[in-house]
Amino acid sequence: MINCSEKELLLYAVTDRHWLGEETLYDQVKKALDGGATFVQLREKKLDREDFLAEAKEIQKLCKEYGVPFVINDEVSIAKDIDADGVHVGQSDMEAMDVRKILGPDKILGVSAQTVEQAIIAEKHGAVFTTGSKDDADDVSHETLKAICEAVSIPVIAIGGITKDNVAELAGSGICGVAVISAIFGQKDIQKATEELKFSVENMLDA
């Protein structure tokens, strides 16, 4: 089974076309990669399959040029069709064990977990990393993250309301990185925001 290195999961960028404006998603992802993003998840909720497939192939190629893992949120069939590096699913999406059966043993599988129990099940069912998150996106529980990190042997990254200004609060939790959306793609200067956030994450992990 393929593993994700903790280094690759340091700064996990999750796309969102909400802030595109005059730019393309490709342009924004490139800026994030230029700024040092170490992992990219393509997340689309409204595109039809044909447009999603075309976009996925384009961003997949870009990520390959940078040597950065590329996964797709939830859409397992699209990930399989384009031979993406893997998939990330939430608790309300397809069950991890079923995703693993479709993708095979050599793909990345990330699973969202809000509790220790969910994280343990995700690991048993083939996840190679998990994101520790809370329903309240403005509050990532240090205690929950630490408990999840102690309960599983796979890497854990935090998601939910994380910025360069508050990421230091996660020091000592046991996570190996963070996943963000608006802290990168919602910023005016995406490349600079990515650079600054990566620096803050590295400082947090060294603390």
Side-chain angles (χ1 to χ4, degrees), residues 20-38:
L20 284 186
E22 299 299 316
E23 293 186 307
T24 65
L25 195 65
Y26 181 96
D27 292 334
Q28 293 197 341
V29 171
K30 187 176 188 305
K31 289 178 180 179
L33 291 168
D34 285 335
T38 60

Side-chain angles (χ1 to χ4, degrees), residues 116 144-154 156-157 173-176:
V116 170
T144 298
L145 284 174
K146 190 170 184 179
I148 288 173
C149 291
E150 291 172 349
V152 297
S153 60
I154 56 176
V156 178
I157 56 177
S173 62
I175 61 170
C176 66

Side-chain angles (χ1 to χ4, degrees), residues 10-13 26-40 62 66 68 180 183-185 189-202:
L10 178 75
L11 184 51
Y12 183 130
Y26 181 96
D27 292 334
Q28 293 197 341
V29 171
K30 187 176 188 305
K31 289 178 180 179
L33 291 168
D34 285 335
T38 60
F39 200 105
V40 172
L62 179 64
Y66 282 79
V68 168
V180 297
I184 288 179
F185 296 109
D189 188 332
I190 290 174
Q191 182 173 338
K192 183 180 179 182
T194 307
E195 291 170 352
E196 292 178 347
L197 179 58
K198 187 176 185 181
F199 180 76
S200 297
V201 174
E202 289 171 337

